[in-house]
Amino acid sequence: MNMHSLVRVLASAGIAATVVTSAHVAAEEDGHNTVEAAESTNTHYKYQGDTGYGDGSFLTNDALINTLEEDGDLSFNGHIIEASEDDYEKHSDKEYKLVKEKDQKFTTYGGTATKVVFPIQDEELAIEDITEAYGDDFEIEESKDGKHETYVYKLGDQEDDTKKNIIAFKVEDGYVTQSTIGYSKSYK
């Protein structure tokens, strides 16, 4: 075997070993991809992975809150989210499409996501943690069946509430079970 062939074989073996190692790290015992990573710079927040297998603590992250308050760039699994009622109105004349990525459901209009809905693991994130992180300026919407309530926050310093970004937390028995980022006509 000449030196050139030996280098190709070793390079192929290295790539294969990297792929096998990466696959092992990404999969846990239950087979679910539970990568929960976020990165932030200034008012940019990027989330990759599932939301429902972790403890939901990323929702109380200052970087996420600041990005929503300052109308920065927010993305979940590659979908940029425009989260105000005004953003929704700008795109609502287009046909909408529901897109699922990991355990998140996106409402998109012409490729622009105006809402993402995702689960939070049961009994992990107390509503007290949310109100401590976001404050007391929220509205509560009761469900028709009385089984849950939704805390709705409009974030930002804009005078017009329709220009503020929205995040909502579905709460059952004192714990967040689902969150919505973006405008919805009803959070019930």
Side-chain angles (χ1 to χ4, degrees):
M1 182 182 287
N2 67 25
M3 187 63 143
H4 184 65
S5 296
L6 180 61
V7 169
R8 278 194 301 194
V9 169
L10 290 174
S12 296
I15 291 170
T18 300
V19 170
V20 170
T21 303
S22 297
H24 178 69
V25 169
E28 295 217 350
E29 291 174 15
D30 60 5
H32 293 290
N33 177 358
T34 59
V35 174
E36 189 172 314
E39 96 186 26
S40 173
T41 57
N42 297 331
T43 57
H44 303 288
Y45 188 86
K46 180 179 175 183
Y47 187 94
Q48 284 296 128
D50 290 306
T51 61
Y53 301 109
D55 63 7
S57 63
F58 72 94
L59 288 167
T60 61
N61 182 301
D62 287 340
L64 172 64
I65 296 168
N66 289 339
T67 299
L68 287 166
E69 286 178 342
E70 296 176 22
D71 200 22
D73 295 329
L74 173 68
S75 71
F76 275 66
N77 289 309
H79 295 274
I80 294 174
I81 301 159
E82 296 182 6
S84 72
E85 182 178 351
D86 189 52
D87 291 327
Y88 164 80
E89 293 295 334
K90 287 178 191 172
H91 299 287
S92 65
D93 62 338
K94 300 175 183 130
E95 186 174 331
Y96 77 91
K97 183 177 177 184
L98 298 176
V99 177
K100 186 170 183 189
E101 185 75 37
K102 303 280 185 190
D103 63 354
Q104 295 119 59
K105 296 175 187 170
F106 298 86
T107 303
T108 64
Y109 293 88
T112 299
T114 59
K115 181 174 70 174
V116 59
V117 179
F118 49 87
I120 300 300
Q121 188 174 355
D122 289 343
E123 297 188 11
E124 288 290 330
L125 183 61
I127 189 58
E128 288 85 19
D129 296 331
I130 295 298
T131 57
E132 185 177 313
Y134 287 85
D136 294 327
D137 190 13
F138 56 83
E139 296 174 14
I140 295 179
E141 292 192 20
E142 299 285 334
S143 66
K144 290 180 182 179
D145 60 9
K147 292 185 179 180
H148 72 271
E149 53 194 18
T150 303
Y151 288 61
V152 180
Y153 286 88
K154 295 179 180 178
L155 303 175
D157 60 3
Q158 301 88 339
E159 289 193 30
D160 183 354
D161 273 359
T162 65
K163 295 188 182 303
K164 294 181 179 185
N165 288 318
I166 300 170
I167 187 166
F169 304 95
K170 181 179 175 183
V171 178
E172 296 178 35
D173 299 322
Y175 290 93
V176 176
T177 59
Q178 177 180 292
S179 186
T180 301
I181 297 176
Y183 174 76
S184 178
K185 290 182 181 180
S186 173
Y187 293 97
K188 296 178 182 183

